[in-house]
Amino acid sequence: MRRGIDRAFAAATGICAAAVCALLLGIAGSIVWRGLSVLDWRFVSRLAAGAGASGGVLYEILGTLILVATALLVSAPLATGVALVQAVYLETRPRARRWLFVALYAANSVPSVLLGIAGLIVFSRWLGWGKSWLAGGILLGLMILPTVSVALIERLRSLPRRYLEAASGLGLTRSQVIWSVLLPQSLGGLVSGLLLGLARASGETAPILFAAAVFSGAGLPAGIRDSPVVALPYHIFVLAQDSLDPTVQDHLWGAAAVLLALVFALSLLALPVRLRIHEEAKSA
Amino acid sequence: MREGRHRRLELTRVASLGFTAFAALAFLGMLVLFTVESLPVWRQAGLGYLFGKRWFFRVHEFGILPMVYGTLAVSAVALLVAAPLGVGTAFFTVEVLPRRARLAVKTAVELLAGIPSVIYGLLGVLLLRDFVVRLLAHWDPLSGDTLMTGGLLLAVMILPTVMTLADDALSGVSAAQRTAARALGLTRAETALRVAARQAFPGLASAVLLGLGRALGETIAVFLVIGRQDNQWPKRLLSMEPLASAGQTLTTKLGGSETFISYGDPLHWGAVMGLALVLFAVVGVVSVAGARLALREGGGA
Amino acid sequence: MLDRLSPEALETEPAAAVLEARGLSVATGRRPLLRSIDLRIEPRRVLGILGPSGAGKTTLLRCLNRLVDLTPQLAVSGEILLHGRSIRGREVDADALRTRVGMLFQQPVVFPGSIADNVLFGVRHTGRPPRREWPERIERALGEAALWEEVRHRLREPAASLSAGQQQRLCLARTLAGEPEILLLDEPTSALDAGSTAAIEELILRLRERHAIVLVTHGLRQARRVADSIVYLAVRDGAGEVIESGLCQDLFSRPRSPELARYLSREPA
């Protein structure tokens, strides 16, 4: 009887795991299979045609890259500041640290559509920017702030104390310890956090839906005001709403495959570093 | 010389605190923003806004209950599917699988987590809708755009979150306790359920709550498969029929065109902002609860 | 005040071994940990396993109740016989085995919950005693572990509120509740103070009346006080081997191998 339960347990949980793996393979597989038939160099390097439903996705790719680069520039300094506060400046205040931790978790769960709407109000209306790539970049940067901060915080906290003690022992001020020891040593955490965050940012639609992206009619932006971009996620989103035409479907799969390739490339770059930090932190 | 050092000390600290304050203000500011902008509808309709069942913006009727129902129904379906699957898989990877295989599964799940929601939406549109029509044939759905479709799609999307967090919670249980239990003659299953699950319970609950938070806030994927039909208030609450029809959630309404067109009309705009406020509040409560449970389990600050 | 059995008593009572290891070897990947271990555990005797750290004493012990199964990288070969029957086959129920061969660890591991919960923890799952027998079981197990008088009035209090020495005796009671034939003790006193150590050593001598005991110990003094026969385990040619075995008295006064002689000379008498 007890052996029976044990076997049933292993079987039931194994079925769950198998289902999950099958799901992943099915999803990734169907995208790869359908998308590859459409993908070729021309797809990636041509401009959209036929009111955006055919042709290539060059400007969409460039638009996504512009947004991602902006998000990087916005989130890197902000996340570093937050991480330093959590790991260094609040060292002696555990309650404040707990609140900041909870706040980071909560901020990470804010639905991205709300971020997009706030951006609509603040950037499009109040600042009068209309649709702007910069608004999109800022919103994406804010969105990934918790992810990047947490990655950096984990890394900072896993640094061996002897580095800090040696540096302080030499007479360095706290700020010097930060800049010459802490930050250089935790660069890996910052980089992997950024890569993960940007992987997520590159695929997000809701934050750029209201204040940054258009479906067609935009090339490379020329200023800040009224300078939208076309981006892969929004492109797919609009097309998917009206997708009964089979040629549109092919185009859709191709665009989806490109987006997925971009997201996976960024995630895979981050993964080895992140897994290592995670396991190090847990066994420490 | 000392002057330079001093100034740098100030600068890093001030900048860090300033950045943190800015970020905090940005997020809290959203809450204030939605509250203020939605005042017109609270003044006009009060609680009738929350419990009203009719949304006809042209005649200024604003009741969000059907959308609340849509959000809850879709999230409930997602949790009912994803929580057992995710927690079950976590039990498998932590209690049954050897270490190398566990890392492989974790990597696979992390990749799954990284797939953008618009692509899930695309898969939903092109693959899931037909499946749901067949699945719910008994209830005669009009098309594949139903609440059930949204729920199932969400289940797949939150599965990685639930699984990863549950895995973290279970693997945090002390190995010494596990070994001691096995040495007493408990089977693998008994050890997993009596020792590990009991200790990891806060972490497991947190995993489910945070998955729920994600489900509640997801817009794009659900938008594409839910039919976006207003005023769908079910005749019977706990039946399958409403799941087989189209509907609307708080997020799908926000993601639609009314957000743009309502700006000129203070009451309409207020009603849309009210949706944002309700969504913010609900997701906020669930996420904070989940985060505090995660802290209690011992992983954190 | 109990004492080890005299050599004469040991000579005149050869008993059938209750647990035996023959040619037991353990390797991880290509690296051997234990090589060709032969052991005999007799009822109502204490077998001490002595040796320097890293020799593989804990690994050896864990083979005897198949706890080594939990570490899949370790490959075990050779025979382990309980009452003459092999315990190593796939058809053998390892979980049932572990109620007959109980184990005590170096660090006391108490489960969250009350003292009573802890004592019953194993038996709840593995035994069949009905609920009404539980109070009696608790009393018996705690009595055997010499803890009953100290905690009889606070059975419902959390086990974590006990001192380290008491916790270790609680762990012992927990194991004893399952009425095992054999007790495997892995350096049970190395985490405890002198007073608790003495208490447990005396306990072992009492437990010997009803159980066969295998005691891994780091300290010569403990071995002298408690063990009847000794197995000296040390690393030779890269893997742990039985260098010498025999009656405690004999080994300590007339060590045959250079390794044991060195070991004895280094440790304080």
Side-chain angles (χ1 to χ4, degrees), chain A residues 67-83:
Chain A
L67 290 171
V68 164
T70 314
L72 170 80
L73 292 173
V74 167
S75 65
L78 286 180
T80 308
V82 170

Side-chain angles (χ1 to χ4, degrees), chain B residues 2-21:
Chain B
R2 274 244 76 131
E3 280 305 304
R5 277 193 194 168
H6 247 346
R7 230 180 309 136
R8 225 163 165 218
L9 174 91
E10 293 273 31
L11 190 58
T12 310
R13 190 153 179 269
V14 166
S16 299
L17 289 170
F19 284 164
T20 309

Side-chain angles (χ1 to χ4, degrees), chain A residues 5-252:
Chain A
I5 295 183
D6 193 45
R7 284 206 204 101
F9 175 77
T13 56
I15 290 176
C16 291
V20 169
C21 288
L23 211 49
L24 168 67
L25 286 173
I27 291 175
S30 59
I31 296 176
V32 165
W33 178 55
R34 305 272 209 126
L36 276 182
S37 59
V38 178
L39 269 193
D40 55 18
W41 183 240
R42 289 193 347 256
F43 187 73
V44 167
S45 59
R46 271 174 34 211
L47 305 181
S54 57
V57 287
L58 177 65
Y59 275 160
E60 281 78 6
I61 297 177
L62 291 176
T64 298
L65 290 176
I66 291 174
L67 290 171
V68 164
T70 314
L72 170 80
L73 292 173
V74 167
S75 65
L78 286 180
T80 308
V82 170
L84 283 177
V85 167
Q86 174 78 339
V88 177
Y89 294 116
L90 285 184
E91 231 173 346
T92 52
R93 304 235 195 131
R95 278 193 73 207
R97 274 210 316 267
R98 280 183 57 137
W99 277 109
L100 188 51
F101 179 79
V102 170
L104 278 175
Y105 252 89
N108 199 37
S109 324
V110 169
S112 49
V113 67
L114 293 182
L115 216 58
I117 293 181
L120 172 68
I121 300 174
V122 172
F123 295 113
S124 285
R125 316 279 195 206
W126 289 357
L127 292 180
W129 285 3
K131 285 207 175 199
S132 164
W133 60 276
L134 186 56
I138 294 175
L139 289 170
L140 288 174
L142 280 176
M143 185 187 79
I144 68 174
L145 183 58
T147 306
V148 185
S149 307
V150 168
L152 186 51
I153 290 172
E154 271 181 17
R155 184 70 182 131
L156 279 172
R157 283 155 55 89
S158 74
L159 286 179
R161 288 208 71 84
R162 60 173 192 273
Y163 285 177
L164 312 174
E165 284 158 3
S168 306
L170 285 173
L172 296 174
T173 65
R174 187 155 69 170
S175 139
Q176 287 172 322
V177 172
I178 289 176
W179 286 98
S180 39
V181 179
L182 285 183
L183 288 181
Q185 289 287 331
S186 17
L187 204 54
L190 181 62
V191 166
S192 78
L194 279 172
L195 284 171
L196 270 177
L198 294 174
R200 194 181 147 201
S202 59
E204 281 281 337
T205 315
I208 60 176
L209 181 59
F210 302 99
V214 291
F215 179 62
S216 62
L220 294 175
I224 296 184
R225 285 168 158 257
D226 294 316
S227 314
V229 283
V230 290
L232 281 172
Y234 188 60
H235 188 77
I236 298 174
F237 179 60
V238 172
L239 279 183
Q241 293 177 50
D242 195 20
S243 56
L244 296 174
D245 181 346
T247 53
V248 174
Q249 280 199 20
D250 283 344
H251 180 89
L252 263 178

Side-chain angles (χ1 to χ4, degrees), chain C residues 163-186:
Chain C
S163 71
Q166 288 173 319
Q167 284 187 6
Q168 190 67 304
R169 277 179 282 154
L170 178 61
C171 293
L172 191 52
R174 187 175 66 202
T175 308
L176 289 171
E179 295 175 345
E181 265 186 85
I182 303 169
L183 286 174
L184 306 175
L185 309 176
D186 191 352

